[in-house]
Amino acid sequence: MKAIIIICIMAILPLNAIANSNKIKNVTYNSNDVLIITAKTGRLTVVEFDTDEEVIDGDTGFNDGWTVKKSGNIAYITPKPYLSSVAEEEGTGAIVSRKSIIEPIEGEWDTNFFIRTNKRLYVGDLKLSNHTNSYKISLSYPKEEARRKREEEEEEKVITRRANKKRGIKRDLNRATVPKNWNFYKKVNKRSEDISPNYVYDDGKFTYFGFDRTKKMPAIFLRDGEEELSVNSHSKRVGKYYVKVVHKTGKVFFLRSGRKLVGILNSGYGINPNLNYDTTSNQLIKRVIR
């Protein structure tokens, strides 16, 4: 007997699953399709739109018999009874207004509806049924999802390219360089010895200022006529020296820290016979002058 009961229960479960699946519907959105919603008296039907949509308003062709409420990207639709007022003539000849409640009637409550969101306008038919209704209708948007996926993939590619570019720049900046010009002379002001570089050279593109551990790293400026210009630079460790790499070559540099000052003269600037303007400090990159 127990075996028979178990078999019966197992046979009923798939039927219940099928019945429940009819109440939860997934509908693919098509702007040319009419959305059909089947509702039941005393039951609420939920319509779920796209995640980034917001329901603005909605209405039906039979406002007395239906309500449409909104919350975020969800619309709630319910059939409802309404109060009717009928004027009747009594035996005395007096006209009396009588009120009565009209309950939703299958076949007579059917109408159409519209729902407007911040992105789309939805139209459809409302049908009243005493037997079944949809608890929830979720709309899917394959084209929109495909577009979002493409945008996410493109954004990931941009992020990856930027990250690779940064890694490449960092790798190039830290690449060992070949000095081309050591003809630098310095003038150290009084009490400025601790910002005086141990060595200076350039590779035809960048200028390298090396400081040992006893020195302080100063700010470096390029003299341009009567002005001092700030320059882009980065720092790195090379052996026992801290090297400040200025992203330019120039005739005169000033190193400053508070009132301390060191002047650097590049005697080889512009006269290096080995300077090849087609090359850079990175052998993988070729400079083209246009």
Side-chain angles (χ1 to χ4, degrees):
M1 185 67 180
K2 290 181 179 180
I4 295 174
I5 293 173
I6 292 172
I7 292 171
C8 291
I9 292 174
M10 292 179 66
I12 292 171
L13 284 175
L15 296 176
N16 289 337
I18 293 171
N20 289 332
S21 67
N22 291 332
K23 296 182 181 296
I24 308 295
K25 295 183 178 180
N26 295 305
V27 178
T28 300
Y29 170 74
N30 186 328
S31 58
N32 296 319
D33 288 346
V34 173
L35 184 62
I36 299 176
I37 297 176
T38 302
K40 187 177 180 180
T41 304
R43 298 294 176 89
L44 178 71
T45 300
V46 175
V47 184
E48 184 180 34
F49 302 99
D50 205 357
T51 53
D52 61 347
E53 279 189 279
E54 182 177 357
V55 178
I56 297 174
D57 57 23
D59 209 347
T60 75
F62 183 18
N63 288 331
D64 289 338
W66 296 87
T67 62
V68 179
K69 297 182 179 180
K70 61 186 178 70
S71 176
N73 69 325
I74 294 176
Y76 305 94
I77 300 178
T78 313
K80 65 173 183 178
Y82 70 94
L83 189 64
S84 175
S85 180
V86 180
E88 296 181 354
E89 183 179 353
E90 291 188 332
T92 60
I95 303 298
V96 179
S97 178
R98 301 186 183 278
K99 296 182 178 180
S100 60
I101 296 176
I102 308 298
E103 295 290 342
I105 302 172
E106 184 175 3
E108 295 184 11
W109 239 246
D110 295 355
T111 186
N112 66 333
F113 74 93
F114 87 90
I115 293 174
R116 183 166 61 96
T117 72
N118 60 326
K119 294 181 66 175
R120 303 176 180 91
L121 177 66
Y122 299 84
V123 296
D125 288 330
L126 292 174
K127 296 183 178 297
L128 182 68
S129 172
N130 294 330
H131 306 289
T132 184
N133 78 299
S134 301
Y135 287 177
K136 180 183 178 183
I137 298 175
S138 295
L139 282 86
S140 61
Y141 306 78
K143 292 182 179 180
E144 189 77 8
E145 291 168 2
R147 181 188 63 79
R148 281 198 289 259
K149 185 177 180 180
R150 287 194 302 270
E151 289 179 351
E152 290 174 358
E153 290 174 350
E154 286 299 321
E155 186 176 356
E156 289 179 0
K157 289 179 182 178
V158 170
I159 293 173
T160 301
R161 284 197 296 268
R162 288 176 179 172
N164 290 338
K165 185 177 181 180
K166 287 182 179 179
R167 284 194 293 267
I169 292 173
K170 185 176 181 180
R171 183 178 60 251
D172 293 341
L173 292 176
N174 290 324
R175 188 185 300 275
T177 58
V178 179
K180 292 185 178 181
N181 173 30
W182 287 95
N183 296 325
F184 287 83
Y185 299 90
K186 61 184 177 181
K187 174 67 171 65
V188 182
N189 277 15
K190 190 176 180 180
R191 291 190 291 275
S192 300
E193 291 81 3
D194 61 344
I195 66 167
S196 174
N198 296 84
Y199 64 83
V200 183
Y201 70 87
D202 71 50
D203 60 6
K205 181 181 179 183
F206 290 171
T207 307
Y208 300 78
F209 299 79
F211 302 84
D212 64 30
R213 295 183 180 180
T214 66
K215 303 296 180 68
K216 296 179 181 179
M217 194 78 77
I220 300 178
F221 300 89
L222 174 64
R223 182 175 177 179
D224 184 13
E226 298 300 322
E227 297 182 359
E228 292 183 25
L229 306 178
S230 60
V231 290
N232 292 328
S233 65
H234 72 278
S235 301
K236 65 179 181 178
R237 179 77 177 272
V238 180
K240 65 179 182 179
Y241 294 99
Y242 295 96
V243 179
K244 193 156 190 177
V245 184
V246 172
H247 301 175
K248 289 183 73 67
T249 60
K251 182 70 175 177
V252 177
F253 291 95
F254 288 123
L255 284 58
R256 295 184 179 275
S257 178
R259 295 184 178 182
K260 298 176 181 179
L261 173 64
V262 174
I264 303 293
L265 172 65
N266 182 357
S267 295
Y269 181 71
I271 61 173
N272 190 337
N274 297 320
L275 188 61
N276 185 349
Y277 288 98
D278 289 338
T279 63
T280 68
S281 59
N282 182 351
Q283 296 179 0
L284 301 179
I285 300 174
K286 182 177 181 181
R287 183 187 293 115
V288 178
I289 301 177
R290 297 182 180 274

